[in-house]
Every structure is written in structure tokens, then in C-alpha cells.
Amino acid sequence: ATMSLYSRSALSAAAMDHKGKKHDPVKAILAGGLTGAIEISITFPTEYVKTQLHLQHEDALHHPGTKKFQGPWCVVRHTMEDHGVRGLYRGIAPLLYFSIPKVASRFWAYETIRNAITDENGKMTPMRSLIAGLGAGTVEAIVAVSPMETVKVKFIQDQTSSSPKYRNFFHGIGVIVHDSGLRGLYQGVLATVIKQASNQAIRFSVYNPLKEWVQDGDPAKDIGILKTMLIGAVAGAASVFGNTPIDVIKSRMQSLDAHKKYRSSLHCAQLAWREGGGTITGGLKIFYKGTTPRLSRVCADVALTMALYEKIIQGLELLWPSKAH
């Protein structure tokens, strides 16, 4: 779940624009946070649908009274019938509350690593992009994404149970900490770290070479918003197909009954494999649940985040001009 490659690329690229004016890091973080909040408000229903499909086996085992979804549109239809449009936004609160610390930690980590490993010409090789992306993903997963995703998954699953127990975001946090301690907010932390690190690594290592190719090796060449969005969509799709199995394990590890069922992320993966009958075909079906809504979310995320970030930065520049260096 989460801000796209474009926010990360824009944040890192925003350090200096074509006029040579440096952007204040605080301004970049603020723009990224606002962008993330607006983007997730628009695209969250696809995140909700994806998570419900990831958790379907969990609900069938532990909440027999819950509905069995046949696919993405089935989730939408049943949710609308039972809860209206608001039901598709159940679990959005943690993503909104954590958006700024998530972006701040990612921005700090990526820029710190990039500054340490970039060459004398300020260029990043694919391997250096991979390393910076891995580092940024690991930091954001530990600082913000793990607790954010844990609460989001629990909120979404809680809505489909016969007796929901979370009244709102803060009440839900209180119940989770009371029942499981602070550890309860970090269920599936290993799967989350692997997911976020691989997410950023795949996206950066695909995005940067593609952009350089389209620019014909000239970093100053403006390729336009449409080409930039298309490159980001390709990079985003690569990450979806590359680590959706990890995302499925993460969702299950953060479910309401995970502490009763799974000893570790590896144990969760083993049970999911058995659920698919122990065959490659069955395993792919289980480990790639929710791919369609997740892919839709990434594509929409890419388009919205890039457009919104640029506009917000422009607005902040008018209100709070950066100094030229």
C-alpha cells in the first residue's frame, strides 16, 4: 500500500530544478505528504479491494459468517450493499495519518544514501539506484509503513467480521496495543520490509535506465509529463508483478488472527503454498491474489502523484520562494 515511484523520483529530483534553484527539503516533504494524502483519498478503494482478496482465506477460516468474494467487482458490490461508498474507505485513516512521516523517512533515507554513493558527475548507475531504493524502502518500512499497514489491514478485515470492534482510528490503535502491546503494530514487519525494499529497488532500477534512454543520455532533456508518466507506469507494473507474493504474505501476517495461526512470515508462506495444493499453478493463484486492483492502483497512483506533486511544488514556490545558489 503506499506513494508511488513518482513521489520518490520527484522528491529526489526536486533537490534542484532546471533553473538551478534548490528546493527546501521541508517543502519537498510537505508537497509529498499532501500529494500522498490526495492520491490515497482517490485511489484507496482499489487498495481496499486488493486487501479483501488477500485476506479471503483468512476470513473463510476464522469468520465463517463473512461473504466469499469471487473477484474485485464482487468485493465492490457487496461492500456497497452493506456499507455504502464509505465502506470502500474503511482503513484509510492510517494511510492518511502516516503519509507525511512515511514520505519524510523515505526522502531522508534516499537522499542520504544517494549523496553517499553518487559518482563525481552526480549520476546514479542502475546498481546504485537499486541500493538507494533498497535503503529507502527499508527505512520507511520500519519507521512508518509497518504500523500503517498493520492497522489498515486490521481495519479492513474488522469491517467484514460479524461483530466489528474498532470504532475509529485511535480506538483501533488503543485496542491493538492493549491486546498485543506495541508488537501488535509491527505484525509482519519482516514481510513489510522485504516488500517495501523490493518495491523501491525494482522501481528505481527500472525507472532510471528507462528515463535515461528516453532522454538520449542527456539528463537535462525535458521528456514531458506523458512520457514520464508512461515510464513510471512501466516501473510500477514491474514492481507489482515482482513482489505481489510478498504483499499477499504481508497482508495475511497483519490479519486479525495472524498471531494465532502463523509462527513467522515463512510459516505463512508455507501454508499459503499448501492452500494452493502445492502446485505451481495453484501457488500462483494464491500468491497473485489482488493483482488486478493493485495494478490499477499503481497506474492511477503514478499519474496522480506526478501531476499533483508538480502543481503543489509550483504553488509552494509562489508562496515560499526558494533561494538560488
Side-chain angles (χ1 to χ4, degrees), residues 114-115 117-125 128 219:
R114 190 188 70 163
N115 290 338
I117 65 177
T118 189
D119 65 21
E120 61 275 8
N121 297 317
K123 290 185 177 181
M124 290 281 284
T125 63
R128 288 172 177 170

Side-chain angles (χ1 to χ4, degrees), residues 16 26 60 65 93 95 125 132 134 136 146 166 172 200 203 210 214 223 235 238 259 262-263 267 275 314:
M16 181 174 286
V26 174
L95 273 70
T125 63
L134 281 170
S146 287
Y166 302 142
Q200 284 24 303
R203 292 182 183 184
L210 278 178
V214 174
I223 61 175
H259 64 287
Y262 305 123
R263 296 190 298 271
H267 182 231
E275 182 187 335
Q314 289 172 15

Side-chain angles (χ1 to χ4, degrees), residues 67-69 73-83:
K67 291 183 173 64
K68 181 174 177 60
F69 303 121
W73 287 111
C74 184
V75 177
V76 173
R77 185 175 69 254
H78 283 306
T79 301
M80 293 282 286
E81 289 174 355
D82 294 344
H83 305 284

